[in-house]
Structure formats: C-alpha cells, structure tokens
Amino acid sequence: MLTSNNKFVASILSLGLIVLAPIANSDSPAVTDKQTKVALVIHGGAGTILKKNMTAEKEKAYKDALKEALVAGYHILINQGSSTEAIKKSITIMENSPLFNAGKGAVFTHEGKNSLDASIMVGNDLSAGAIAGVETIKNPILLADKVRTDSVHVMMSGQGAEEFAKKQNIEQVDPKYFFTQRRWDSLQKALKSDAKQAVLPKDEADNFKFGTVGAVALDTNGVIAAGTSTGGMTNKRYGRIGDSPIIGAGTYANDQCGISATGHGEYFIRAAVTYDICALVAYKEMSINDAADKVIHDKLKAMGGDGGVVGLDNQGNIMMSFNTAGMYRASIDTDGNVTIKIYNN
Ligand code: ASP
C-alpha cells in the first residue's frame, strides 16, 4: 500500500518533475496527515477548444504550462505555505506565459491596448482584492492581492490602481510587453467582422477571449483561496469590465468553498456564478460538484452563457465544471492524484 508520502512522491514523479527536494530529503519533516490535506485546482480558460483545431505541439505546450503552474503552486502548499501564496504562484506563471489571456498574451481592446483585470479572495476572513482596466501591471494578481492586504478598498481601477501599484512596488512594464502576434491578429479579424457586421463561427469567436486563468487552493490550515486573472474579451470597448475582477461573479471563497470562473463575463456577472455555487454549498448543503453543475449546466446555459469554473471545498474535493467544448484545467487532489485535461472527457 502506498503511504501518503509515497503517494505524494509518485504523483510528483508522474508530473515528471523533481522540484520538491525538501520533501524527498530524509532529514526533512515527514509528510503528516495534515500535510496531505492540501489540494490545488487551476484553469487556463474555457471555450470551443476542439481537438481538430489543435496540433500535438500546441496541446503539449498548454499541458506543459498547466503542469508548471500546478507544480509550483503545489510545492508551496506541501511545504506548508498558504493557499494565497500558492494560487498567486500558479496564476503568476500563467500570466507570464504567452499562451493564456492574462498578463503577457492578453487579448486586445478595440483601441489596440491590453487592459487587465484580476481578483483574489481568501475564505477564512472573506478578505478580497481586485483590480480592473490596468495597462502596465506585469502580474495583475499580485496587485489584486495588494489591494486586499494593503488598502481599505476591495477594488481599484485604471490609473488609480497603477498609482497604488507604484506605491506598493508592484512591477510595472511598458505596455508593449503584453503584445503577442496571435492576439493582435484576432483583434484585426474582429475589427473586420465588425465592419462587415459579420458573425464569426463560434470556435473562431471563442479565440477572442479564451485563456483567462485562475486557481483555487486549500492549505494545511484549512484555508481556501481563489483568484482569477484576464485580459477580458478581444475588441472590448468603452472600458468594458468582465466578471473576472468581480467578487461573487469571477472569484469567490469562504470557509467552505472556493471558485474561479472563466467564460462570457456578462453572463457570469448577471448570474453571480461563483457566489451562487458557494451559496448552494452553504445553504442547500449541496456538494461542490452538484452545485457547480447546477449553475453552469442549468442556470447559465439557460441564460445563454458559455464557460466554466474550477473550485474545491474545505475537504479538498476538486470541482471542474464547464458547458463549453473544452477548458484548460489541472488539479492535484488531497491524495496527490494529478489531472491535466483540455477537452470534454
Ligand atoms: N470572463 C472573462 C471576461 O469576460 C473572459 C474569459 O474568461 O474567457 O472578461
């Protein structure tokens, strides 16, 4: 029989990475039951992600990026770091990857800019921070967390948020840093179809947003933290803000449940998706998986909203629910079982 320590090492070996020297070292403290209770789930966006549109190379690149983000966050949890630090680590790695619609690789606005939104919430004290419409913040999730820890506010936007970032020594970059040719081309396509008043096929239109990132973790103190980061939707205008920086829509955490969302933000805001799922868990005592399926497959779908959520409860039960063809997603559960998936299976 596998002990929890062996199981943990086996799961890490299955990831093909040796990053956990302190745990593997026999001088380090043994993995206790308390330590095995950690769990982490992440996403890199939902949409019409079809195998027929994917090359083996692209698929591998996404899976590798998810794996890197997952392992780095898990490393923190297993070394008794906080769920907040773990999700910040995982999200920062995805923000730094050009593959995702967050940080580097974010989609473009109608005016050809990158305008970034992020939020974070910690379940034990219901503390939360969010930023919207920033253009120079390398890792928006880190600024959102500063709003949570170092201000009396929950949400800051635009220039004010950037000024706050300066005071908090949060890294700022030239807006050119966020440029990727692929996202630029998507904007040009969107502008053309706007001009022709043409409606793009669903899988092409989805290319204009998907790639929002998020993470939810449970740490050894039983604290849940959830966070989400995005560039929003291609061709957005008039300072449009989606659900990702809105607590209760794109991100929510309490002492029982934590969720991060991705999808068509307008619907997620109106359905208060992440709060609604946690409310079903709290008031109806539903399992997090049943609660999420109800909101994503029944309520949201009936409204016409596409997307998905990842989350976990205070027992570390992992949830990944989406009503789209795919969602980039990965998790490590309390037994150390690793999942990395893209399509609907
Ligand atoms: N929810 C994001 C937004 O509407 C986009 C996405 O998750 O794909 O801004």
Side-chain angles (χ1 to χ4, degrees):
M1 208 182 94
L2 280 179
T3 65
S4 36
N5 198 0
N6 284 341
K7 236 184 199 177
F8 166 73
V9 172
S11 76
I12 291 306
L13 289 179
S14 79
L15 287 172
L17 294 173
I18 300 167
V19 291
L20 295 151
I23 301 291
N25 182 337
S26 59
D27 294 337
S28 67
V31 175
T32 65
D33 276 354
K34 200 180 169 209
Q35 277 175 308
T36 62
K37 207 98 179 73
V38 302
L40 174 65
V41 58
I42 64 174
H43 70 80
T48 313
I49 310 167
L50 299 170
K51 204 164 173 73
K52 70 173 168 78
N53 297 337
M54 196 62 103
T55 61
E57 231 174 24
K58 212 166 137 192
E59 192 174 301
K60 183 177 178 322
Y62 274 103
K63 284 192 169 171
D64 285 351
L66 287 170
K67 191 194 315 187
E68 188 191 345
L70 188 72
V71 169
Y74 194 61
H75 191 190
I76 291 176
L77 292 172
I78 207 74
N79 283 299
Q80 306 194 19
S82 71
S83 48
T84 308
E85 290 309 315
I87 63 162
K88 283 197 292 180
K89 187 76 185 171
S90 295
I91 292 174
T92 302
I93 287 172
M94 292 188 281
E95 286 176 336
N96 292 346
S97 162
L99 294 174
F100 302 104
N101 173 18
K104 169 99 187 152
V107 299
F108 285 91
T109 66
H110 185 75
E111 296 78 20
K113 292 182 171 181
N114 304 102
S115 177
L116 312 168
D117 309 328
S119 63
I120 189 166
M121 186 162 188
V122 181
N124 64 328
D125 60 3
L126 302 179
S127 60
I131 50 140
V134 295
E135 294 176 3
T136 67
I137 308 302
K138 186 178 181 208
N139 293 110
I141 195 68
L142 301 182
L143 182 57
D145 198 45
K146 278 286 181 194
V147 173
R148 182 183 73 86
T149 56
D150 287 77
S151 87
V152 295
H153 304 303
V154 168
M155 188 186 243
M156 295 182 190
S157 70
Q159 276 186 1
E162 312 230 355
E163 208 180 299
F164 178 70
K166 215 163 275 155
K167 292 208 170 118
Q168 296 294 329
N169 290 321
I170 289 285
E171 187 174 358
Q172 289 178 272
V173 288
D174 186 307
K176 283 195 199 91
Y177 163 80
F178 300 107
F179 180 90
T180 52
Q181 192 62 45
R182 166 184 169 226
R183 299 297 192 185
W184 182 254
D185 294 345
S186 288
L187 174 64
Q188 303 319 308
K189 243 191 198 166
L191 292 173
K192 253 187 222 147
S193 75
D194 260 8
K196 285 195 218 144
Q197 300 204 316
V199 178
L200 285 157
K202 183 95 195 72
D203 51 342
E204 269 194 55
D206 262 351
N207 265 318
F208 293 171
K209 59 173 166 60
F210 71 66
T212 290
V213 306
V216 187
L218 172 71
D219 66 25
T220 53
N221 289 318
V223 176
I224 299 172
T228 311
S229 181
T230 191
M233 291 171 89
T234 300
N235 200 24
K236 64 183 180 181
R237 62 198 300 192
Y238 309 121
R240 179 264 188 193
I241 306 289
D243 60 310
S244 308
I246 298 180
I247 297 301
T251 301
Y252 192 77
N254 60 23
D255 58 0
Q256 281 185 295
C257 163
I259 317 272
S260 168
T262 173
H264 197 146
E266 280 68 11
Y267 294 89
F268 280 69
I269 295 171
R270 292 195 287 129
V273 164
T274 57
Y275 178 74
D276 208 27
I277 295 169
C278 289
L280 289 172
V281 171
Y283 302 135
K284 282 219 159 186
E285 296 180 15
M286 284 174 80
S287 74
I288 192 165
N289 274 285
D290 288 351
D293 284 348
K294 186 163 187 56
V295 173
I296 297 298
H297 293 284
D298 298 349
K299 180 178 171 180
L300 196 68
K301 196 80 199 161
M303 290 168 70
D306 284 349
V309 284
V310 300
L312 47 73
D313 65 16
N314 56 8
Q315 299 306 303
N317 293 307
I318 303 270
M319 174 280 290
M320 301 162 160
S321 179
F322 52 100
N323 63 26
T324 47
M327 178 165 76
Y328 298 109
R329 60 202 190 276
S331 65
I332 301 191
D333 70 13
T334 52
D335 291 328
N337 298 308
V338 176
T339 301
I340 302 177
K341 285 187 172 176
I342 298 178
Y343 311 106
N344 193 353
N345 52 32

